[in-house]
């Protein structure tokens, strides 16, 4: 039997497969399809200290082997989330990772403070510094090592582990990852969506209401593999959560071989709400067929 439980830094998880932020709502939505406690963790859509309405429709657009989204950080705000969504997640028995965002460093600090007293089921914060659908993309925190470090440092008030979710849309991802880890992130989550755009040929206009969007799904799996591989090479001891286009257990195994300690399943959930638990079962079956006794033995095995 393969040993699937993992310890991501100081966070023990029953297995290394989680949901990806933003792809299954803010709460226990997937709980009607499978037992959420069987996943490594449920990662909720990014939340700010305040409620936010998001971008104009249309917010999603199909793309070859994936999709574009320009949701624009819609969310109820952390106080309403704690009151309305967290109780169902808590009673599901799932480990919960709360993704947070803000417009300013102070927003992140406030988000972290609001969650500091969350129940123990909240095992980590995923600090999203890399949403492509912000008002001014040129100011995305994840485009700057200094800004990323400032945000991570500002969230220390949470008092539990923080992971930094980073963008592939940068020239030197290792520099940004190093800044996040140096500022106190216990892990980096690689990658957020890839900046893209779609044209509606009928109307001869931009297809998404917000114009640009983030590309996700199998189309970006090679980008995720590259990001994970390069950061594992640069940071042999870092905790890396891989995300991007995982649809099968084999996809998950490949990200782990590139250097991920754990994986997240996102866009696949839109086609199959059971995708995260299916990927987890397929990963286990693959490891058993391949004689992998301990998942840790697979992490970064493709590095050379
Ligand atoms: O809400 C979004 O538009 C969004 C977010 Br927060 C993110 O991190 N990545 C993305 O592609 N979309």
């Amino acid at each position: 039997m393969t040993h699937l439980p993992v310890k991501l830094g100081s966070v023990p998880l029953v297995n290394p497969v989680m949901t990806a932020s933003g792809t299954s709502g803010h709460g226990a939505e997937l709980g009607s399809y499978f037992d959420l406690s069987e996943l490594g963790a449920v990662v909720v859509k990014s939340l700010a200290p305040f409620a936010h309405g998001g971008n104009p429709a249309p917010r999603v657009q199909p793309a070859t082997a994936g999709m574009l989204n320009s949701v624009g950080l819609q969310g109820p705000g952390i106080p309403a989330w704690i009151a309305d969504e967290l109780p169902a997640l808590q009673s599901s028995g799932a480990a919960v990772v709360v993704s947070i965002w803000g417009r300013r460093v102070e927003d992140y600090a406030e988000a972290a403070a609001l969650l500091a007293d969350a129940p123990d089921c909240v095992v980590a914060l995923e600090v999203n510094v890399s949403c492509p659908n912000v008002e001014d993309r040129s100011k995305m925190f994840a485009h700057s090592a200094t800004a990323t470090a400032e945000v991570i440092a500002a969230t220390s008030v949470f008092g539990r582990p923080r992971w930094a979710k980073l963008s592939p849309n940068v020239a030197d991802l290792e520099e940004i990852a190093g800044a996040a880890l140096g500022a106190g992130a216990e892990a980096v989550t690689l990658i957020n969506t890839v900046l893209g755009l779609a044209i509606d040929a009928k109307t001869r206009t931009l297809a998404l209401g917000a114009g640009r969007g983030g590309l996700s799904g199998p189309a970006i799996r090679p980008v995720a593999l590259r990001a994970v591989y390069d950061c594992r090479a640069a940071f042999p001891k870092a905790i890396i959560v891989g995300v991007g286009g995982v649809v099968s257990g084999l996809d998950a195994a490949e990200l782990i071989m590139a250097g991920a300690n754990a994986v997240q399943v996102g866009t696949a959930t839109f086609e199959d709400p059971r995708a995260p638990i299916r990927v987890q079962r397929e990963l286990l079956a693959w490891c058993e067929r391949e004689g992998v006794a301990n998942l840790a033995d697979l992490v970064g095995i493709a590095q050379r």
Side-chain angles (χ1 to χ4, degrees):
M1 263 307 253
T2 305
H3 183 75
L4 270 198
V6 289
K7 199 149 184 238
L8 299 184
S10 57
V11 181
L13 300 180
V14 290
N15 65 69
V17 181
M18 308 170 227
T19 59
S21 176
T23 55
S24 55
H26 288 101
E29 284 87 340
L30 292 183
S32 48
Y33 295 95
F34 59 89
D35 179 352
L36 296 177
S37 70
E38 286 184 33
L39 280 181
V42 172
V43 186
V44 303
K45 179 161 176 59
S46 301
L47 292 157
F50 44 83
H52 184 60
N55 281 334
R59 291 169 162 186
V60 289
Q61 187 69 24
T64 308
M67 62 181 267
L68 284 155
N69 87 83
S70 62
V71 174
L73 300 135
Q74 182 183 338
I78 292 168
W81 178 82
I82 289 174
D84 302 335
E85 306 275 4
L86 180 56
L89 275 171
Q90 190 177 10
S91 51
S92 76
V96 178
V97 176
V98 183
S99 173
I100 58 167
W101 74 278
R103 295 191 184 98
R104 305 164 309 144
V105 174
E106 294 78 13
D107 296 334
Y108 285 92
E110 191 184 342
L114 285 167
L115 290 160
D117 295 326
D120 290 349
C121 67
V122 175
V123 295
L125 280 192
E126 190 173 78
V127 183
N128 184 2
V129 284
S130 52
C131 175
N133 300 321
V134 286
E135 285 134 31
D136 182 355
R137 262 171 217 95
S138 66
K139 295 215 173 67
M140 189 197 285
F141 294 98
H143 283 174
S144 151
T146 315
T148 296
E150 260 182 66
V151 170
I152 296 299
T155 56
S156 64
V157 60
F158 177 57
R160 281 173 248 181
R162 290 154 292 137
W163 306 346
K165 182 149 183 191
L166 302 182
S167 171
N169 310 302
V170 293
D172 189 346
L173 180 58
E174 293 97 304
E175 186 200 2
I176 315 279
L181 294 166
E186 203 173 85
V188 287
T189 304
L190 309 173
I191 54 174
N192 209 318
T193 50
V194 176
L195 274 175
L197 178 144
I199 300 285
D200 180 340
K202 269 201 201 122
T203 59
R204 304 182 182 189
T205 58
L206 300 181
L208 288 165
R212 291 161 200 246
L215 179 65
S216 62
I220 71 162
R221 199 161 59 235
V223 183
L225 281 165
R226 183 267 303 165
V228 167
Y229 185 92
D230 286 351
C231 284
R232 172 57 65 214
F235 306 104
K237 295 205 157 64
I239 301 296
I240 298 177
V241 179
V243 51
V246 172
V247 175
S248 68
L250 182 59
D251 298 337
E254 288 177 3
L255 261 181
I256 292 166
M257 287 188 253
N261 302 90
V263 299
Q264 297 177 344
V265 179
T267 300
T269 309
F270 290 101
E271 193 171 323
D272 172 12
R274 293 183 180 80
I277 199 68
R278 178 179 50 72
V279 166
Q280 186 258 307
R281 288 173 189 152
E282 288 177 6
L283 175 63
L284 179 60
W286 184 89
C287 287
E288 287 183 347
R289 265 199 319 276
E290 295 289 320
V292 178
N294 193 333
L295 199 80
D297 300 338
L298 209 60
V299 175
I301 205 164
Q303 290 282 328
R304 63 182 160 90

